[in-house]
Amino acid sequence: MWIYEKKLEYPVRVCRPNPRLAKDVITQYGGPDGELSASLRYLTQRYTMPTNQAIATLTDIGTEELAHMEIVAALVYQLVKDAPLHQIIEAGLDGYFSDHDRAVFWVNSEGVPWTAAYVQSKGDPIADLHEDMAAEEKARATYENLINLSDDPDVTDVLRFLRAREVVHFQRFGETLMRVQDYLQCKKVY
Amino acid sequence: MNKEQVELLQKLRALEFTAIDLNLFLDTHPECQEALHDYNRIVKELADVRCAYEAKFGPTLNFGLSESKMGWRWIDGPWPWQAGY
Ligand SMILES: [Fe+2]
């Protein structure tokens, strides 16, 4: 069960349209290392985790990633909402506009739609947790690229928040991996 | 959204963020009494701020977790992704 809370985890207030930046940021919505991949990966891997502790971590981080997906959507939405058509064309978003107008859709910066092939659910907790740690580092690296590409301080501020969360998630997955390894080791001994 | 609503919402957001971070920490450090104590304290503070916010600006949660005393205000905007939230 999930409950919706009528607020963003971190506020998004963009002052001027910037479809060029929207085109970059959208990859964290529907790109390989984006928030849709993150949330769905953790929320589906949790079913076959061997310990209650690991299930809790995947449930909670997966849930926070859903909130991050909403933050990224808010960024994209506000960056294109009032953008004039000529700006959209100059940004190279005209192909996107043909299919989606100014709606938010899961694509990467080059317009490639999201695919489940970006994620894995292996049924092997050690393999899955290693994937999760790598996913957090890839998301962190993507946010750093986006921070370098951003020319809007309001957007950069939000990207910094999201980047910092990936670092925390990486840490928690690392701790979970150690706990799961200990658990599997104990099971072998007895 | 007026200044008072923005400020109260920011207070709610800050407290809930602390709760999120402590929650994740406790998931991998369930034996840490200090974090557990902080978490339980934040839960109380968060409930008070939520109560104050909702009395003025309507429910923040759906599906029975927030009362809607003055009419059905869940459907009122602005929604979170609209500017100024
Ligand atoms: Fe993350």
Side-chain angles (χ1 to χ4, degrees):
Chain A
M1 179 73 197
W2 271 269
I3 303 298
Y4 185 68
E5 187 176 12
K6 213 176 183 180
K7 79 169 214 320
L8 294 180
E9 188 190 2
Y10 194 84
V12 174
R13 288 183 206 95
V14 174
C15 299
R16 54 191 176 86
N18 190 340
R20 196 278 302 168
L21 189 51
K23 186 174 189 281
D24 297 335
V25 169
I26 204 166
T27 199
Q28 279 306 85
Y29 195 63
D33 308 315
E35 302 292 355
L36 180 67
S37 297
S39 54
L40 296 187
R41 177 191 296 111
Y42 309 148
L43 291 176
T44 204
Q45 286 180 354
R46 70 190 178 129
Y47 296 102
T48 44
M49 280 292 143
T51 66
N52 290 324
Q53 184 277 322
I55 291 171
T57 297
L58 284 168
T59 301
D60 292 336
I61 296 181
T63 300
E64 191 183 355
E65 305 290 15
L66 288 174
H68 294 172
M69 190 163 77
E70 189 186 29
I71 292 173
V72 175
L75 279 173
V76 172
Y77 169 75
Q78 291 184 25
L79 284 167
V80 297
K81 182 169 56 102
D82 298 319
L85 205 49
H86 74 87
Q87 258 190 30
I88 287 176
I89 295 167
E90 280 158 26
L93 263 181
D94 46 324
Y96 182 92
F97 182 88
S98 308
D99 284 331
H100 310 291
D101 198 313
R102 290 177 182 79
V104 184
F105 190 66
W106 298 281
V107 293
N108 78 352
S109 296
E110 300 302 329
V112 180
W114 189 84
T115 162
Y118 289 155
V119 300
Q120 180 58 291
S121 189
K122 201 68 193 167
D124 180 309
I126 302 301
D128 281 347
L129 287 166
H130 275 98
E131 180 189 337
D132 302 344
M133 292 171 72
E136 295 297 333
E137 288 300 321
K138 289 187 281 182
R140 175 195 53 76
T142 308
Y143 280 121
E144 280 167 18
N145 294 340
L146 291 174
I147 288 164
N148 289 333
L149 289 164
S150 173
D151 54 1
D152 181 332
D154 292 330
V155 175
T156 305
D157 178 58
V158 179
L159 295 171
R160 286 218 172 91
F161 169 81
L162 292 167
R163 180 203 172 279
R165 296 310 292 157
E166 309 303 1
V167 176
V168 172
H169 293 170
F170 173 78
Q171 182 72 27
R172 300 292 163 256
F173 281 132
E175 291 153 0
T176 300
L177 175 65
M178 285 197 297
R179 281 180 173 261
V180 168
Q181 274 168 335
D182 286 349
Y183 168 82
L184 295 175
Q185 205 57 41
C186 285
K187 242 177 69 176
K188 254 191 224 156
V189 172
Y190 298 111
Chain B
M1 197 177 257
N2 65 35
K3 197 168 164 258
E4 191 193 4
Q5 187 173 3
V6 171
E7 279 172 10
L8 255 180
L9 187 64
Q10 192 45 43
K11 233 173 147 180
L12 180 89
R13 182 155 31 225
L15 279 170
E16 201 183 298
F17 177 71
T18 312
I20 292 169
D21 208 37
L22 280 167
N23 191 148
L24 295 188
F25 180 82
L26 280 161
D27 285 352
T28 56
H29 303 77
E31 55 292 294
C32 179
Q33 289 306 310
E34 202 188 333
L36 184 63
H37 177 264
D38 287 349
Y39 183 82
N40 286 326
R41 182 174 49 80
I42 295 290
V43 168
K44 283 207 191 84
E45 275 181 58
L46 183 59
D48 290 345
V49 172
R50 190 182 300 282
C51 233
Y53 179 89
E54 291 184 342
K56 286 195 166 145
F57 306 111
T60 58
L61 299 160
N62 58 359
F63 298 163
L65 274 95
S66 293
E67 268 188 299
S68 194
K69 282 183 177 155
M70 291 161 298
W72 185 242
R73 294 183 61 189
W74 176 251
I75 56 171
D76 294 352
W79 287 88
W81 52 90
Q82 295 163 351
Y85 216 97

PDB file of all heavy atoms in Angstrom, chain B residues 28-50:
ATOM      1  N   THR B  28      19.490   0.178   8.889  1.00  0.00           N
ATOM      2  CA  THR B  28      20.762  -0.558   8.915  1.00  0.00           C
ATOM      3  C   THR B  28      21.474  -0.444  10.266  1.00  0.00           C
ATOM      4  O   THR B  28      22.515  -1.073  10.462  1.00  0.00           O
ATOM      5  CB  THR B  28      21.719  -0.071   7.789  1.00  0.00           C
ATOM      6  OG1 THR B  28      21.902   1.333   7.914  1.00  0.00           O
ATOM      7  CG2 THR B  28      21.158  -0.387   6.407  1.00  0.00           C
ATOM      8  N   HIS B  29      20.923   0.360  11.197  1.00  0.00           N
ATOM      9  CA  HIS B  29      21.484   0.469  12.560  1.00  0.00           C
ATOM     10  C   HIS B  29      20.363   0.360  13.583  1.00  0.00           C
ATOM     11  O   HIS B  29      20.153   1.287  14.386  1.00  0.00           O
ATOM     12  CB  HIS B  29      22.205   1.806  12.768  1.00  0.00           C
ATOM     13  CG  HIS B  29      23.301   2.076  11.787  1.00  0.00           C
ATOM     14  ND1 HIS B  29      23.060   2.498  10.496  1.00  0.00           N
ATOM     15  CD2 HIS B  29      24.650   1.984  11.900  1.00  0.00           C
ATOM     16  CE1 HIS B  29      24.206   2.651   9.860  1.00  0.00           C
ATOM     17  NE2 HIS B  29      25.188   2.342  10.688  1.00  0.00           N
ATOM     18  N   PRO B  30      19.592  -0.758  13.555  1.00  0.00           N
ATOM     19  CA  PRO B  30      18.416  -0.833  14.430  1.00  0.00           C
ATOM     20  C   PRO B  30      18.766  -0.808  15.922  1.00  0.00           C
ATOM     21  O   PRO B  30      17.892  -0.536  16.744  1.00  0.00           O
ATOM     22  CB  PRO B  30      17.763  -2.166  14.034  1.00  0.00           C
ATOM     23  CG  PRO B  30      18.818  -2.940  13.343  1.00  0.00           C
ATOM     24  CD  PRO B  30      19.757  -1.955  12.722  1.00  0.00           C
ATOM     25  N   GLU B  31      20.037  -1.064  16.241  1.00  0.00           N
ATOM     26  CA  GLU B  31      20.411  -1.095  17.662  1.00  0.00           C
ATOM     27  C   GLU B  31      20.842   0.279  18.179  1.00  0.00           C
ATOM     28  O   GLU B  31      21.116   0.412  19.366  1.00  0.00           O
ATOM     29  CB  GLU B  31      21.495  -2.148  17.928  1.00  0.00           C
ATOM     30  CG  GLU B  31      22.772  -2.053  17.093  1.00  0.00           C
ATOM     31  CD  GLU B  31      22.569  -2.371  15.598  1.00  0.00           C
ATOM     32  OE1 GLU B  31      22.243  -3.535  15.238  1.00  0.00           O
ATOM     33  OE2 GLU B  31      22.725  -1.435  14.788  1.00  0.00           O
ATOM     34  N   CYS B  32      20.856   1.287  17.349  1.00  0.00           N
ATOM     35  CA  CYS B  32      21.314   2.617  17.774  1.00  0.00           C
ATOM     36  C   CYS B  32      20.221   3.342  18.561  1.00  0.00           C
ATOM     37  O   CYS B  32      19.245   3.843  17.988  1.00  0.00           O
ATOM     38  CB  CYS B  32      21.746   3.447  16.560  1.00  0.00           C
ATOM     39  SG  CYS B  32      22.291   5.107  17.029  1.00  0.00           S
ATOM     40  N   GLN B  33      20.396   3.392  19.875  1.00  0.00           N
ATOM     41  CA  GLN B  33      19.373   3.970  20.755  1.00  0.00           C
ATOM     42  C   GLN B  33      19.219   5.474  20.542  1.00  0.00           C
ATOM     43  O   GLN B  33      18.126   6.020  20.642  1.00  0.00           O
ATOM     44  CB  GLN B  33      19.731   3.694  22.232  1.00  0.00           C
ATOM     45  CG  GLN B  33      19.562   2.242  22.634  1.00  0.00           C
ATOM     46  CD  GLN B  33      18.163   1.689  22.340  1.00  0.00           C
ATOM     47  OE1 GLN B  33      17.153   2.295  22.698  1.00  0.00           O
ATOM     48  NE2 GLN B  33      18.094   0.554  21.660  1.00  0.00           N
ATOM     49  N   GLU B  34      20.327   6.150  20.243  1.00  0.00           N
ATOM     50  CA  GLU B  34      20.290   7.599  20.063  1.00  0.00           C
ATOM     51  C   GLU B  34      19.418   7.966  18.849  1.00  0.00           C
ATOM     52  O   GLU B  34      18.565   8.853  18.920  1.00  0.00           O
ATOM     53  CB  GLU B  34      21.724   8.104  19.869  1.00  0.00           C
ATOM     54  CG  GLU B  34      21.899   9.566  20.195  1.00  0.00           C
ATOM     55  CD  GLU B  34      23.289  10.057  19.799  1.00  0.00           C
ATOM     56  OE1 GLU B  34      24.231   9.233  19.779  1.00  0.00           O
ATOM     57  OE2 GLU B  34      23.408  11.256  19.515  1.00  0.00           O
ATOM     58  N   ALA B  35      19.632   7.233  17.735  1.00  0.00           N
ATOM     59  CA  ALA B  35      18.841   7.500  16.526  1.00  0.00           C
ATOM     60  C   ALA B  35      17.374   7.157  16.762  1.00  0.00           C
ATOM     61  O   ALA B  35      16.473   7.875  16.299  1.00  0.00           O
ATOM     62  CB  ALA B  35      19.391   6.688  15.356  1.00  0.00           C
ATOM     63  N   LEU B  36      17.136   6.086  17.496  1.00  0.00           N
ATOM     64  CA  LEU B  36      15.755   5.668  17.790  1.00  0.00           C
ATOM     65  C   LEU B  36      15.037   6.733  18.612  1.00  0.00           C
ATOM     66  O   LEU B  36      13.885   7.095  18.330  1.00  0.00           O
ATOM     67  CB  LEU B  36      15.788   4.336  18.550  1.00  0.00           C
ATOM     68  CG  LEU B  36      14.439   3.697  18.847  1.00  0.00           C
ATOM     69  CD1 LEU B  36      13.714   3.339  17.554  1.00  0.00           C
ATOM     70  CD2 LEU B  36      14.624   2.435  19.705  1.00  0.00           C
ATOM     71  N   HIS B  37      15.743   7.263  19.586  1.00  0.00           N
ATOM     72  CA  HIS B  37      15.194   8.322  20.434  1.00  0.00           C
ATOM     73  C   HIS B  37      14.871   9.560  19.594  1.00  0.00           C
ATOM     74  O   HIS B  37      13.788  10.138  19.691  1.00  0.00           O
ATOM     75  CB  HIS B  37      16.203   8.631  21.542  1.00  0.00           C
ATOM     76  CG  HIS B  37      15.774   9.745  22.431  1.00  0.00           C
ATOM     77  ND1 HIS B  37      16.193  11.049  22.252  1.00  0.00           N
ATOM     78  CD2 HIS B  37      14.936   9.771  23.482  1.00  0.00           C
ATOM     79  CE1 HIS B  37      15.625  11.821  23.159  1.00  0.00           C
ATOM     80  NE2 HIS B  37      14.862  11.067  23.922  1.00  0.00           N
ATOM     81  N   ASP B  38      15.812   9.955  18.729  1.00  0.00           N
ATOM     82  CA  ASP B  38      15.592  11.110  17.852  1.00  0.00           C
ATOM     83  C   ASP B  38      14.393  10.874  16.936  1.00  0.00           C
ATOM     84  O   ASP B  38      13.575  11.766  16.725  1.00  0.00           O
ATOM     85  CB  ASP B  38      16.835  11.368  16.976  1.00  0.00           C
ATOM     86  CG  ASP B  38      17.976  11.957  17.785  1.00  0.00           C
ATOM     87  OD1 ASP B  38      17.748  12.355  18.939  1.00  0.00           O
ATOM     88  OD2 ASP B  38      19.114  12.000  17.264  1.00  0.00           O
ATOM     89  N   TYR B  39      14.313   9.661  16.392  1.00  0.00           N
ATOM     90  CA  TYR B  39      13.218   9.356  15.463  1.00  0.00           C
ATOM     91  C   TYR B  39      11.867   9.527  16.157  1.00  0.00           C
ATOM     92  O   TYR B  39      10.965  10.189  15.630  1.00  0.00           O
ATOM     93  CB  TYR B  39      13.369   7.925  14.920  1.00  0.00           C
ATOM     94  CG  TYR B  39      12.296   7.583  13.910  1.00  0.00           C
ATOM     95  CD1 TYR B  39      12.414   7.979  12.579  1.00  0.00           C
ATOM     96  CD2 TYR B  39      11.149   6.882  14.287  1.00  0.00           C
ATOM     97  CE1 TYR B  39      11.430   7.685  11.651  1.00  0.00           C
ATOM     98  CE2 TYR B  39      10.159   6.586  13.350  1.00  0.00           C
ATOM     99  CZ  TYR B  39      10.311   6.993  12.037  1.00  0.00           C
ATOM    100  OH  TYR B  39       9.321   6.710  11.128  1.00  0.00           O
ATOM    101  N   ASN B  40      11.754   8.966  17.352  1.00  0.00           N
ATOM    102  CA  ASN B  40      10.475   9.047  18.067  1.00  0.00           C
ATOM    103  C   ASN B  40      10.120  10.485  18.457  1.00  0.00           C
ATOM    104  O   ASN B  40       8.947  10.852  18.473  1.00  0.00           O
ATOM    105  CB  ASN B  40      10.498   8.133  19.289  1.00  0.00           C
ATOM    106  CG  ASN B  40      10.374   6.665  18.883  1.00  0.00           C
ATOM    107  OD1 ASN B  40       9.694   6.339  17.908  1.00  0.00           O
ATOM    108  ND2 ASN B  40      11.048   5.787  19.607  1.00  0.00           N
ATOM    109  N   ARG B  41      11.146  11.279  18.737  1.00  0.00           N
ATOM    110  CA  ARG B  41      10.904  12.690  19.056  1.00  0.00           C
ATOM    111  C   ARG B  41      10.405  13.444  17.812  1.00  0.00           C
ATOM    112  O   ARG B  41       9.447  14.221  17.882  1.00  0.00           O
ATOM    113  CB  ARG B  41      12.208  13.329  19.572  1.00  0.00           C
ATOM    114  CG  ARG B  41      12.079  14.785  19.974  1.00  0.00           C
ATOM    115  CD  ARG B  41      13.359  15.300  20.616  1.00  0.00           C
ATOM    116  NE  ARG B  41      14.556  14.994  19.836  1.00  0.00           N
ATOM    117  CZ  ARG B  41      14.963  15.694  18.766  1.00  0.00           C
ATOM    118  NH1 ARG B  41      14.286  16.757  18.383  1.00  0.00           N
ATOM    119  NH2 ARG B  41      16.039  15.341  18.103  1.00  0.00           N
ATOM    120  N   ILE B  42      11.028  13.166  16.658  1.00  0.00           N
ATOM    121  CA  ILE B  42      10.630  13.822  15.405  1.00  0.00           C
ATOM    122  C   ILE B  42       9.192  13.441  15.021  1.00  0.00           C
ATOM    123  O   ILE B  42       8.432  14.272  14.524  1.00  0.00           O
ATOM    124  CB  ILE B  42      11.603  13.435  14.261  1.00  0.00           C
ATOM    125  CG1 ILE B  42      13.010  13.984  14.538  1.00  0.00           C
ATOM    126  CG2 ILE B  42      11.100  13.914  12.907  1.00  0.00           C
ATOM    127  CD1 ILE B  42      13.155  15.488  14.441  1.00  0.00           C
ATOM    128  N   VAL B  43       8.820  12.191  15.257  1.00  0.00           N
ATOM    129  CA  VAL B  43       7.462  11.744  14.926  1.00  0.00           C
ATOM    130  C   VAL B  43       6.437  12.629  15.633  1.00  0.00           C
ATOM    131  O   VAL B  43       5.447  13.064  15.028  1.00  0.00           O
ATOM    132  CB  VAL B  43       7.255  10.258  15.313  1.00  0.00           C
ATOM    133  CG1 VAL B  43       5.775   9.872  15.256  1.00  0.00           C
ATOM    134  CG2 VAL B  43       8.072   9.354  14.396  1.00  0.00           C
ATOM    135  N   LYS B  44       6.681  12.915  16.907  1.00  0.00           N
ATOM    136  CA  LYS B  44       5.760  13.758  17.676  1.00  0.00           C
ATOM    137  C   LYS B  44       5.727  15.184  17.136  1.00  0.00           C
ATOM    138  O   LYS B  44       4.660  15.748  16.915  1.00  0.00           O
ATOM    139  CB  LYS B  44       6.177  13.787  19.160  1.00  0.00           C
ATOM    140  CG  LYS B  44       5.794  12.535  19.920  1.00  0.00           C
ATOM    141  CD  LYS B  44       5.604  12.841  21.419  1.00  0.00           C
ATOM    142  CE  LYS B  44       5.489  11.553  22.217  1.00  0.00           C
ATOM    143  NZ  LYS B  44       6.812  10.963  22.576  1.00  0.00           N
ATOM    144  N   GLU B  45       6.906  15.761  16.914  1.00  0.00           N
ATOM    145  CA  GLU B  45       6.986  17.134  16.391  1.00  0.00           C
ATOM    146  C   GLU B  45       6.306  17.238  15.030  1.00  0.00           C
ATOM    147  O   GLU B  45       5.589  18.194  14.746  1.00  0.00           O
ATOM    148  CB  GLU B  45       8.455  17.560  16.231  1.00  0.00           C
ATOM    149  CG  GLU B  45       9.081  18.120  17.497  1.00  0.00           C
ATOM    150  CD  GLU B  45      10.519  18.545  17.242  1.00  0.00           C
ATOM    151  OE1 GLU B  45      10.746  19.393  16.347  1.00  0.00           O
ATOM    152  OE2 GLU B  45      11.420  18.007  17.919  1.00  0.00           O
ATOM    153  N   LEU B  46       6.555  16.227  14.198  1.00  0.00           N
ATOM    154  CA  LEU B  46       5.981  16.208  12.851  1.00  0.00           C
ATOM    155  C   LEU B  46       4.455  16.172  12.918  1.00  0.00           C
ATOM    156  O   LEU B  46       3.768  16.876  12.180  1.00  0.00           O
ATOM    157  CB  LEU B  46       6.528  14.997  12.088  1.00  0.00           C
ATOM    158  CG  LEU B  46       6.116  14.812  10.631  1.00  0.00           C
ATOM    159  CD1 LEU B  46       6.512  16.006   9.776  1.00  0.00           C
ATOM    160  CD2 LEU B  46       6.762  13.549  10.062  1.00  0.00           C
ATOM    161  N   ALA B  47       3.912  15.367  13.840  1.00  0.00           N
ATOM    162  CA  ALA B  47       2.455  15.265  13.985  1.00  0.00           C
ATOM    163  C   ALA B  47       1.866  16.619  14.380  1.00  0.00           C
ATOM    164  O   ALA B  47       0.811  17.024  13.864  1.00  0.00           O
ATOM    165  CB  ALA B  47       2.102  14.191  15.017  1.00  0.00           C
ATOM    166  N   ASP B  48       2.550  17.339  15.279  1.00  0.00           N
ATOM    167  CA  ASP B  48       2.059  18.653  15.703  1.00  0.00           C
ATOM    168  C   ASP B  48       2.051  19.648  14.550  1.00  0.00           C
ATOM    169  O   ASP B  48       1.078  20.378  14.346  1.00  0.00           O
ATOM    170  CB  ASP B  48       2.939  19.206  16.848  1.00  0.00           C
ATOM    171  CG  ASP B  48       2.728  18.421  18.142  1.00  0.00           C
ATOM    172  OD1 ASP B  48       1.723  17.675  18.217  1.00  0.00           O
ATOM    173  OD2 ASP B  48       3.575  18.542  19.055  1.00  0.00           O
ATOM    174  N   VAL B  49       3.146  19.687  13.791  1.00  0.00           N
ATOM    175  CA  VAL B  49       3.235  20.632  12.671  1.00  0.00           C
ATOM    176  C   VAL B  49       2.206  20.267  11.595  1.00  0.00           C
ATOM    177  O   VAL B  49       1.551  21.137  11.020  1.00  0.00           O
ATOM    178  CB  VAL B  49       4.664  20.663  12.086  1.00  0.00           C
ATOM    179  CG1 VAL B  49       4.715  21.489  10.805  1.00  0.00           C
ATOM    180  CG2 VAL B  49       5.642  21.220  13.105  1.00  0.00           C
ATOM    181  N   ARG B  50       2.028  18.957  11.348  1.00  0.00           N
ATOM    182  CA  ARG B  50       1.047  18.535  10.349  1.00  0.00           C
ATOM    183  C   ARG B  50      -0.362  18.979  10.753  1.00  0.00           C
ATOM    184  O   ARG B  50      -1.136  19.472   9.936  1.00  0.00           O
ATOM    185  CB  ARG B  50       1.099  17.017  10.142  1.00  0.00           C
ATOM    186  CG  ARG B  50       0.278  16.553   8.931  1.00  0.00           C
ATOM    187  CD  ARG B  50       0.298  15.051   8.748  1.00  0.00           C
ATOM    188  NE  ARG B  50       1.633  14.515   8.552  1.00  0.00           N
ATOM    189  CZ  ARG B  50       2.312  14.574   7.406  1.00  0.00           C
ATOM    190  NH1 ARG B  50       1.783  15.141   6.355  1.00  0.00           N
ATOM    191  NH2 ARG B  50       3.534  14.067   7.321  1.00  0.00           N
TER     192      ARG B  50
END
